[in-house]
Amino acid sequence: MIIGREKEQQELLWLLEKEESQFCAVYGRRRVGKTYLVRETFNYQFCFQHTGVAKGTLRQQLTAFRNSLVAAGLKCAVPKTWIDAFELLKMLINQAPEGKKVLFIDELPWMDTPKSNLIGALENFWNGWATARKEKDIVLIVCGSATSWISKKLLKDKGGLRGRLTNRIKLLPFTLRECELFAKSANLALGRKDILELYMILGGIPYYWSFLKKGLSVAQNVDQLFFAENAQLHDEFEALYTILFKRPENYLKVIWSLSNGRKSGMSRDEILKECKISDGGTFSMILEELEECGFIRRFASADTADNNAMYQLIDNYTLFYYHCIKKNSFSDEHYWSNTFTSTSHNVWKGHAFERICLQHVPQIKAALGISGVQTNVCSWYARGATERRGAQIDLVIQRADGFTDLCEMKHSDSMFTIDNDYAKDLQNKLSSYQELSRDKRTPHLVMVTTNGVVHNSYFNIIQNEITMDDLFGM
């Protein structure tokens, strides 16, 4: 049973109703549920379906393609080229009954081995044959976890496939609400506090959530997923980056530097210095691909030049891996149960909670009652100087109705208390933004916390408060 994904399912089913042949790309982070979505939506009924071979050679890819053709009912030998392979696919389609012919090619990027001319053959198949059929009955769906490959070779292609996609679906991780629905469907007795903590670790990745076991606490589940002797996700980190990137070493250097850098993020120059990587097109490509795949976010201050952008690690699981899994130096099988209340883990929770808020901006806007208001969502920072302190606001919502919400995000096991020192910090951010930003709207301070804010003498400095429950909204 599919949780959520109603919009994506409808988009896929619409492909069957169109008069012309359709070419759709479904892409998104590894383990986010792309294959499951397509298979479930079409009830596993395909004229042809195939999955590329991870790290496979051209010969291995062609052999696997031939095996998929045989499974679909075509007797044939292993093709020598992709042109030959798509000729065989044409033969299979011509033998199929009347009606829409849904072709599903999963992990297409894996099939694009060096000098294989996969894209040229695909272009020839689609432009020269599929769209030219009088029957107009082809629905081609391609899928891939290498989001950057999909973007370059299909979405932004400058060759024969330019503009040929009729639909594109970027599948995003589950929201908190969707994870709550998933937990209920799996009969997991989890409160919202539990789901929030698990989201800090697993993000909204359905594959990870599918391994949670009934009857176990959050700490017990985390131990059995990551720290037990035969933990299901023990090697997930290495597999995640190795499969996505052909040469993952420099990608991992960037990820490592961001995990150890300032919480507020690092500039391009700071990452280069930390990683000791040569500047140039290759480094730009690494940053672009990590952003495309959803591991990092790139942001410029609301009123500074884009070339002064900062980078932050945004992937929940990767953040958890560096801050928690790698610190289990004693290989304790009950590491999380024994340490999840430690000071270092509380620091990680604060960091992770901020990332969750950035991933739930629509829910924050709904809680503020501005879902229908045109907004510009950004960040803002001002470096410190002799006469003033620096200030950073990770979430700024500039509104068309003349106001700007400056959102402060704080994790706390109980209600959050604004004390004298923190009130001064908030006032510094507010006054710095008013003085130094180019924004002429009226600024409002907004607190986003897990359990609300204590209404003490400093509470009046804020205009609105949002709680964990609001983040579980639609």
Side-chain angles (χ1 to χ4, degrees), residues 46-49 64-77 88-97:
F46 302 104
C47 174
F48 173 74
Q49 62 175 319
F65 197 85
R66 176 260 184 188
N67 293 342
S68 296
L69 288 166
V70 170
L74 182 71
K75 294 182 179 180
C76 59
L88 293 172
L89 180 56
K90 294 176 190 178
M91 291 174 57
L92 174 69
I93 293 170
N94 283 330
Q95 295 175 9

Side-chain angles (χ1 to χ4, degrees), residues 390-458:
Q392 168 145 349
I393 306 167
D394 279 342
L395 180 56
V396 177
I397 304 175
Q398 298 174 333
R399 299 157 43 173
D401 60 1
F403 292 87
T404 292
D405 293 308
L406 311 178
C407 300
E408 277 287 291
M409 300 161 283
K410 291 293 180 181
H411 179 275
S412 176
D413 290 330
S414 57
M415 293 186 72
F416 183 78
T417 300
I418 301 175
D419 59 18
N420 182 58
D421 289 340
Y422 187 58
K424 290 179 180 178
D425 185 45
L426 289 175
Q427 187 58 56
N428 175 64
K429 292 187 178 189
L430 180 60
S431 58
S432 295
Y433 187 83
Q434 288 176 306
E435 177 186 352
L436 302 174
S437 79
R438 301 171 187 170
D439 188 358
K440 301 306 179 184
R441 302 172 185 85
T442 302
H444 281 178
L445 277 174
V446 177
M447 289 296 302
V448 187
T449 65
T450 41
N451 298 295
V453 181
V454 174
H455 289 216
N456 60 10
S457 57
Y458 300 108

Side-chain angles (χ1 to χ4, degrees), residues 22-72:
Q22 300 293 303
F23 184 2
C24 177
V26 181
Y27 58 105
R29 184 197 186 280
R30 176 170 158 81
R31 311 291 205 189
V32 81
K34 302 177 296 297
T35 304
Y36 184 74
L37 169 69
V38 176
R39 288 175 176 170
E40 285 287 315
T41 299
F42 292 101
N43 196 29
Y44 297 79
Q45 300 299 308
F46 302 104
C47 174
F48 173 74
Q49 62 175 319
H50 172 69
T51 301
V53 180
K55 305 294 183 181
T57 62
L58 175 58
R59 176 68 179 178
Q60 290 170 330
Q61 301 291 353
L62 290 169
T63 300
F65 197 85
R66 176 260 184 188
N67 293 342
S68 296
L69 288 166
V70 170

